[in-house]
Amino acid sequence: MIQPLIRDIRTLPPESQEITVRGWVRTKRELKNLIFVEVNDGSCFGGIQCTFDRIGGLAEDTESVLAAVSTGASVEITGRLVPSPSAGQEAELTVLSVKIIGDAPADRYPLQKKRHSLEFLREIAHLRARTNTIGAVARVRSRLAFGVHEFFQSRGFQYVHTPIITASDAEGAGAMFQVTTLDLEALAKSGKPPDYGKDFFGKRSCLTVSGQLEAETYALALSRVYTFGPTFRAENSNTTRHLAEFWMIEPEMAFARLEDNMTLAEDFLKFLLATVLKDNAEDIAFFEAHIEKGLSGVLRSVMDSPFVHMTYTDAVAELEKNANTFEFKPFWGCDLQSEHEKFLTETVARGPVIVTDYPREIKAFYMKMNDDGKTVRAMDVLVPRLGEIIGGSEREENLKALEERIRSLGMDLEDYSWYLDLRRYGSVPHTGFGLGFERLIQYVTGMANIRDVIPYPRAVGQVEF
Ligand code: 4AD
Ligand code: MG
């Protein structure tokens, strides 16, 4: 039988039954004849307290083993599960015997009991999942990932695996990582331009920035689909909200308009918040106590109230009224800066806001044009602290309009001919969005830096492990 997890042991009634736990030592405290060892196996936030009583009941060699029990060591402890006199825990283990599985010498193990900064922990990312904070992030991340599938699968969306290597630029923004097997050093020496015909795929290829275009092709066959996978952006943005490799969830619905997209996004976020509040209560309580005060109250209030809707034009008018408060002066046509997004969510709406109908110049080529000829059916969901968490739109389903847009942006129609086929054959209104998975985790946990909500962050100048 596989070893029961501490999260299961913690649900057992303490009736002096003999139990064995395996895990890593968090702390050891000595009080004359009593020694307390806190063992954690990461299966839930809390560990289990193991009490050694020197006066009676311990196996003979226990004293010598105990000397090697130190923070970070892995242990196997057998004892009796009894009601705990200490506050904050139902049960503890009265130890009968202890074995060290792997020691962790105190003079070398980097994660001693003291508090460590998140910056320091990033340097030892291979060990940081053993801390309260990063362990809690990992459990929340796992639960949210499952919640994404639960939400869409129960609503008739099919999961589509879109490619990671691609020859098309889905956002038309050009911030892509190139994938090549060409000998770059030899090329540099030869002084000749690269011949992509001789490259692995026979043409210039990159890592995808979004699975949207391919998801659209499946939405126009299966009606409702979603992707959930890694995406890559070679933007030189060294911020607390940008990664070079991040995970994105992209639903796409056929026979649907922007209003349906906004409803879907709001229901989706609320479902995910409810899931984590219910299933990760201990983790969230920790974030609330140590990372972001008032967190669970905020999440609950977001679940209970409708999102504010606002057009880009109205949003800019609101910003212009307060122009003095911004470093970057807002004007109609400007890309909303993070200070603007912060103001809209934190001061104007005091909660999530969906901003729609942006000027076409600042949005991607595939978005549906409004009748005004100036704005497109775009939507961004902005939240306090982070700003943009979701970006989406209704898609231009009209062949002529889409061709014209691609051409006017100086993009090659030939590159997008397969995408245009969707408008040539059985075109329908359709819509979708992308949720940045790490931004969602930041929102739910209150973690300030995106590099602390993904196990091994990849960002400008950072690719360790
Ligand atoms: O707004 P974006 O660029 O939209 C798209 O990629 C569309 N193709 C989505 C769609 O309609 N299917 O990105 C979507 C979201 C952003 O709102 C943000 O949450 C996240 O992806 N995101 C990033 N997250 C971390 N690091 C980055 N560099 C990110 N860039 C975007
Ligand atoms: Mg965006």
Side-chain angles (χ1 to χ4, degrees):
M1 204 194 72
I2 60 169
Q3 165 67 24
L5 293 168
I6 288 176
R7 64 169 210 181
D8 301 324
I9 291 172
R10 279 163 44 115
T11 64
L12 299 174
E15 293 165 338
S16 291
Q17 65 274 45
E18 199 172 304
I19 271 180
T20 298
V21 299
R22 296 189 183 89
W24 293 268
V25 173
R26 279 294 176 81
T27 58
K28 179 167 107 177
R29 279 186 301 130
E30 300 206 27
L31 271 183
K32 234 164 120 193
N33 288 321
L34 289 178
I35 298 165
F36 304 102
V37 173
E38 177 83 11
V39 177
N40 185 291
D41 71 356
S43 59
C44 58
F45 185 83
I48 191 152
Q49 177 173 295
C50 303
T51 306
F52 295 74
D53 185 350
R54 283 194 167 121
I55 303 294
L58 286 180
E60 235 169 73
D61 60 347
T62 305
E63 280 295 339
S64 61
V65 181
L66 253 177
V69 170
S70 60
T71 299
S74 51
V75 292
E76 177 181 299
I77 297 180
T78 300
R80 295 192 185 285
L81 195 66
V82 298
S84 176
S86 318
Q89 59 189 15
E90 290 279 295
E92 63 180 52
L93 214 59
T94 300
V95 178
L96 299 171
S97 66
V98 55
K99 253 200 297 210
I100 303 262
I101 302 174
D103 66 355
D107 55 342
R108 273 171 282 153
Y109 183 60
L111 274 180
Q112 293 304 322
K113 196 176 152 188
K114 71 178 188 98
R115 241 172 204 264
H116 300 283
S117 72
L118 291 166
E119 289 74 17
F120 170 70
L121 293 178
R122 246 170 260 149
E123 289 169 17
I124 51 162
H126 57 303
L127 295 172
R128 68 177 177 164
R130 297 183 188 189
T131 62
N132 280 337
T133 309
I134 304 298
V137 167
R139 281 183 298 274
V140 166
R141 185 174 174 114
S142 168
R143 186 63 191 89
L144 283 170
F146 184 52
V148 166
H149 291 294
E150 285 178 306
F151 178 85
F152 287 118
Q153 295 284 336
S154 68
R155 284 166 179 74
F157 286 73
Q158 312 288 333
Y159 182 28
V160 182
H161 294 115
T162 51
I164 287 176
I165 299 174
T166 179
S168 39
D169 181 352
E171 291 300 298
M176 301 180 87
F177 289 102
Q178 202 172 330
V179 175
T180 181
T181 52
L182 292 175
D183 184 339
L184 298 180
E185 281 171 32
L187 254 178
K189 277 188 205 138
S190 77
K192 287 192 220 130
D195 176 1
Y196 291 117
K198 296 214 175 78
D199 202 351
F200 190 92
F201 298 105
K203 64 202 284 197
R204 192 173 181 281
S205 316
C206 292
L207 295 178
T208 191
V209 293
S210 155
Q212 179 195 322
L213 304 192
E214 290 89 352
E216 281 185 55
T217 68
Y218 268 64
L220 267 65
L222 305 179
S223 291
R224 292 184 199 170
V225 302
Y226 66 106
T227 71
F228 181 9
T231 44
F232 307 87
R233 305 235 171 143
E235 303 155 339
N236 197 3
S237 323
N238 207 344
T239 78
T240 55
R241 307 179 307 139
H242 289 88
L243 288 168
E245 176 179 299
F246 64 99
W247 287 61
M248 187 159 43
I249 297 126
E250 296 181 275
E252 194 69 33
M253 291 187 286
F255 311 104
R257 301 279 188 192
L258 192 69
E259 288 67 26
D260 307 306
N261 207 24
M262 291 195 276
T263 306
L264 184 73
E266 181 168 342
D267 290 351
F268 181 42
L269 287 176
K270 288 179 171 174
F271 173 87
L272 293 172
L273 298 190
T275 299
V276 165
L277 283 170
K278 179 167 151 285
D279 288 354
N280 294 81
E282 275 190 305
D283 295 318
I284 296 297
F286 169 80
F287 291 120
E288 173 143 9
H290 297 279
I291 302 290
E292 176 78 20
K293 259 202 211 109
L295 178 69
S296 63
V298 168
L299 299 181
R300 265 177 231 289
S301 81
V302 167
M303 275 169 51
D304 294 341
S305 41
F307 289 8
V308 171
H309 291 197
M310 195 184 281
T311 63
Y312 168 91
T313 302
D314 289 345
V316 168
E318 200 62 54
L319 295 172
E320 280 174 330
K321 276 193 245 162
N322 298 277
N324 293 336
T325 47
F326 304 116
E327 205 173 307
F328 185 97
K329 295 287 162 262
F331 60 92
W332 199 96
C334 78
D335 220 343
L336 296 184
Q337 306 295 308
S338 53
E339 55 174 340
H340 302 150
E341 295 181 340
K342 237 173 124 60
F343 185 83
L344 292 173
T345 54
E346 292 172 13
T347 309
V348 180
R350 296 175 181 276
V353 194
I354 310 187
V355 179
T356 60
D357 304 288
Y358 285 74
R360 69 171 192 178
E361 279 71 25
I362 58 171
K363 288 292 181 189
F365 71 93
Y366 50 70
M367 297 191 180
K368 187 172 176 61
M369 182 77 77
N370 276 314
D371 293 339
D372 63 10
K374 292 194 310 194
T375 59
V376 288
R377 301 250 72 195
M379 62 168 225
D380 276 4
V381 180
L382 315 179
V383 296
R385 274 198 286 116
L386 292 172
E388 179 187 344
I389 185 168
I390 284 180
S393 74
E394 194 170 324
R395 319 306 189 190
E396 184 56 80
E397 85 269 22
N398 179 284
L399 178 65
K400 287 265 152 335
L402 185 56
E403 280 179 337
E404 208 172 288
R405 185 80 185 120
I406 291 177
R407 217 182 285 117
S408 75
L409 286 168
M411 294 155 65
D412 192 348
L413 272 179
E414 198 47 46
D415 289 346
Y416 293 91
S417 72
W418 59 274
Y419 184 66
L420 291 164
D421 269 355
L422 300 177
R423 282 72 182 169
R424 289 191 183 100
Y425 314 121
S427 188
V428 299
H430 61 289
T431 181
F433 63 78
L435 167 67
F437 191 48
E438 286 74 21
R439 296 217 184 144
L440 168 73
I441 300 167
Q442 280 189 280
Y443 187 54
V444 165
T445 60
M447 293 295 286
N449 195 317
I450 197 165
R451 295 172 203 216
D452 299 325
V453 299
I454 188 165
Y456 295 101
R458 272 80 181 93
V460 194
Q462 185 174 37
V463 71
E464 280 71 36
F465 309 99

